[in-house]
Amino acid sequence: MTSLLFLWEISLVLCGIGLACLLALIVARLFSTHSADARREARREILPLLLEDGGYAGQLRGMELDVATALTMELAEMTAGSERSAMLARASALGVPGHLERQMHSRSAQTRLTAVETLALFDECGRQARAALDDDNADVRLGAALAIARRDDAPPPAVMVEKLRVGSEERSLLLVSLMSDLAERDPGAVAAILFEKDMPYDAKVAATDALSRTGSEYAPLLATMAAAASGESDLQPRIFRALGRTGHPAGRASILEGLHSDEWPVRASASEAAGRAVLVDAAERLGELLGDENWWVRFRAGEALLRLGPRGIAVLRVAGDSDVPVARLSAEAILAEGRAA
């Protein structure tokens, strides 16, 4: 009898707990629904304030300010030029920059990252955005750097590299995008990175790629760097590939020298550069490289010969009749590929 009474009491307790949990879920659901309805209503009221002149409502607070900040982030991605500037001016009047600045102190790295990306759009918030370069989180630091890269008050590229801890903590492929943005604003400062002796390898590679995308203006500099990077088997091929992307003949001497390198990655990248720059006087050496011991070098050399046009085709046909089996097979394969194309 005592045991049955005990089980009965336990059952009552469990039922009570279950009922309490159910009531809590119902209350939470009601609160969530009410909050969502309130935010939807706030969005309907605040959206015209951000998109149209004449609806000034003074500084917002609480949930309305939070909604205005979220709307500003969304609209910033969908607008540009004068339309975005006008929207940001209205958002500034509503108090959005101050709210974003407070979000920069959030414990959530994602919240800080989103906040700095929007904060950097406001002309008057450069100092606050630059402060995010000292954030403990690497993603926030990189996001801040990308956000402020095109601002006139952005730090010099070398300072960016130091703050991002490039080479030790930061190895993102987005470094190239960052350097490209910095090069659009100040290409000379990005080029100076290549001459900094203690600059991390990753930073030099990103700067090289960024400069090659600016056109042929920096081809002579890249050619100089390609020659100066002799012995740096990781960096030199990247410079040759960048030089090839410019398609500029200014790198002729460096490229011809690279074709004789003892390192196969350098020979391959120099071959690629010779083809893109259409260096006809490299045809004979490219023909020799069709018999290279490395497949990738043979492929790049053949590809470059095709780019050289009639002179390169003639070298390929001579190699196709060669007594060297490797060179003959390479030439036949490249000629077949050229005909197929």
Side-chain angles (χ1 to χ4, degrees), residues 161 166-167 175-176 179 190-212 222 225 228-229 232 234-236 238-239 242:
V161 169
V166 175
L175 282 176
V176 177
M179 285 295 173
V190 174
I193 287 179
L194 300 178
F195 295 98
E196 293 287 342
K197 184 178 180 181
D198 298 328
M199 193 59 64
Y201 163 78
D202 291 353
K204 289 188 176 182
V205 169
T208 300
D209 287 346
L211 290 174
S212 70
L222 293 175
M225 293 306 303
E232 297 186 58
D234 291 333
L235 179 60
Q236 196 176 27
R238 299 293 296 265
I239 298 178

Side-chain angles (χ1 to χ4, degrees), residues 290 310 312-322 331 335 339:
L290 289 173
I313 299 293
V315 172
L316 281 168
R317 285 175 177 162
V318 170
D321 295 328
S322 171
L335 285 170
R339 284 192 292 271

